[in-house]
Amino acid sequence: MVIKSDGLAAGKGVVIAKSQKEATTTIHKMLGEHQFDTKSIIIEEFLTGQEFSLMAFIQDEQIIPMPLSQDHKAAYDGDEGPNTGGMGAYSPLQHFPSDLVNEGVEKIIRPIIRTLKKKNITFCGILYAGLIMTDSGPKVIEFNVRLGDPETVVVLPQLQSDLYEMLQGLLHHQVPVVKWQKDQVYLGVVISSQTYPQASARGVELADFNYLPSNITVNYAGVSCNRDGQLISNGGRILCLTTGASNITKAQAILYGWLNQHPILGLRYRSDIGDKAK
């Protein structure tokens, strides 16, 4: 079964209990010890399949879906270990059915928007559907009202039309022309502290990330500066490296090739982001 803290838990309040003992321990921590400041929990059916993210820009009933992406929540390779806020992502999902975006919009996103409208709620913003592809089709894991992290760093680079013009068009109830690239796969790998997600850490110098090759970009998250003005780690998830290539194997070679040549003590990353696309 899946046991969730009913509230905000920084992406860590979900446990997939594989035994009665693990379920009992999890419930005691959440309700007895109030882990994540939990007052109540949600128990759900465990669904089997590959998880993926479908995000969309929405204004009333106008829906502009983004390319599908796949986040990697587990802390360690092979989807082992506790849940995190996300250890990496890739997009688009070329190994998924080509009509899955339309299916997700019509069966999941649009019914939600219409139900909200019946309740006199006009939705304007970004809806993030965390889905799982089961044998009976896509099913909902969660919803967020925001862009996904780290999915955004592999999705938005695919937008070839102007983001500002699209948002302005939606706000003024126009039908903007939106164009997404289809020739490259984008891969993002999160670099975290060694102790994440159990604990955060600080003080690791990040000078090496100032000298990335031109085909790798960096988005910083848990960072600060030391007394000398040098960038240092300051949190759980420190940064995310992103690249694009013609296929996932080439994208992995670019990112992991650089990372393997620049080991940094005190930081770690998953070495299998994107493997499910092969």
Side-chain angles (χ1 to χ4, degrees):
M1 64 177 64
V2 180
I3 303 170
K4 296 182 178 181
S5 171
D6 187 8
L8 297 176
K12 306 181 192 73
V14 179
V15 173
I16 299 173
K18 299 176 182 177
S19 67
Q20 183 173 342
K21 181 180 179 181
E22 187 178 7
T24 302
T25 300
T26 298
I27 292 171
H28 174 72
K29 286 182 178 179
M30 289 186 179
L31 293 181
E33 300 175 2
H34 301 293
Q35 185 183 33
F36 311 117
D37 197 30
T38 303
K39 302 296 190 301
S40 62
I41 61 172
I42 300 167
I43 299 177
E44 297 180 340
E45 173 191 1
F46 175 72
L47 299 173
T48 301
Q50 285 199 42
E51 292 188 39
F52 64 99
S53 303
L54 171 57
M55 300 185 288
F57 299 100
I58 297 172
Q59 166 63 293
D60 198 4
E61 290 197 41
Q62 189 170 352
I63 300 170
I64 298 178
M66 304 180 214
L68 298 178
S69 57
Q70 187 172 73
D71 184 13
H72 295 61
K73 289 289 188 187
Y76 309 119
D77 286 7
D79 290 335
E80 296 292 330
N83 248 30
T84 71
M87 294 300 293
Y90 66 97
S91 177
L93 307 185
Q94 297 174 335
H95 60 301
F96 276 43
S98 58
D99 61 346
L100 188 55
V101 171
N102 290 334
E103 184 180 4
V105 168
E106 296 306 321
K107 291 185 177 180
I108 295 169
I109 301 292
R110 197 175 302 280
I112 287 288
I113 298 305
R114 287 178 174 170
T115 300
L116 288 173
K117 195 167 185 179
K118 289 179 181 178
K119 296 178 179 291
N120 296 317
I121 300 172
T122 299
F123 188 89
C124 177
I126 294 163
L127 188 63
Y128 164 141
L131 308 176
I132 184 168
M133 192 63 182
T134 71
D135 290 339
S136 57
K139 293 191 177 183
V140 175
I141 296 291
E142 64 173 352
F143 284 108
N144 290 298
V145 187
R146 58 170 172 80
L147 284 165
D149 175 16
E151 294 97 326
T152 305
V153 298
V154 296
V155 169
L156 284 190
Q158 298 179 65
L159 183 62
Q160 294 184 319
S161 47
D162 191 277
L163 175 64
Y164 178 78
E165 289 181 356
M166 178 189 65
L167 297 178
Q168 284 295 313
L170 286 172
L171 289 171
H172 291 87
H173 300 280
Q174 299 168 354
V175 182
V177 176
V178 181
K179 185 178 180 182
W180 301 94
Q181 72 85 35
K182 297 182 180 179
D183 298 327
Q184 286 196 308
V185 175
Y186 285 83
L187 174 71
V189 175
V190 169
I191 314 300
S192 74
S193 65
Q194 286 282 13
T195 54
Y196 179 74
Q198 290 86 352
S200 297
R202 69 183 311 274
V204 177
E205 293 187 3
L206 304 174
D208 281 9
F209 296 99
N210 294 327
Y211 305 101
L212 291 167
S214 59
N215 56 356
I216 299 178
T217 58
V218 58
N219 288 276
Y220 290 103
V223 297
S224 63
C225 289
N226 60 19
R227 292 180 179 179
D228 299 325
Q230 300 298 316
L231 206 61
I232 60 172
S233 64
N234 185 35
R237 289 187 299 165
I238 309 304
L239 55 91
C240 184
L241 298 181
T242 308
T243 193
S246 58
N247 59 56
I248 193 66
T249 302
K250 291 181 179 179
Q252 288 177 318
I254 293 169
L255 274 190
Y256 288 123
W258 187 89
L259 283 168
N260 292 338
Q261 293 174 10
H262 298 80
I264 300 176
L265 294 177
L267 302 181
R268 68 172 181 84
Y269 55 88
R270 279 185 57 163
S271 62
D272 62 347
I273 306 298
D275 277 1
K276 293 176 183 176
K278 294 180 179 179

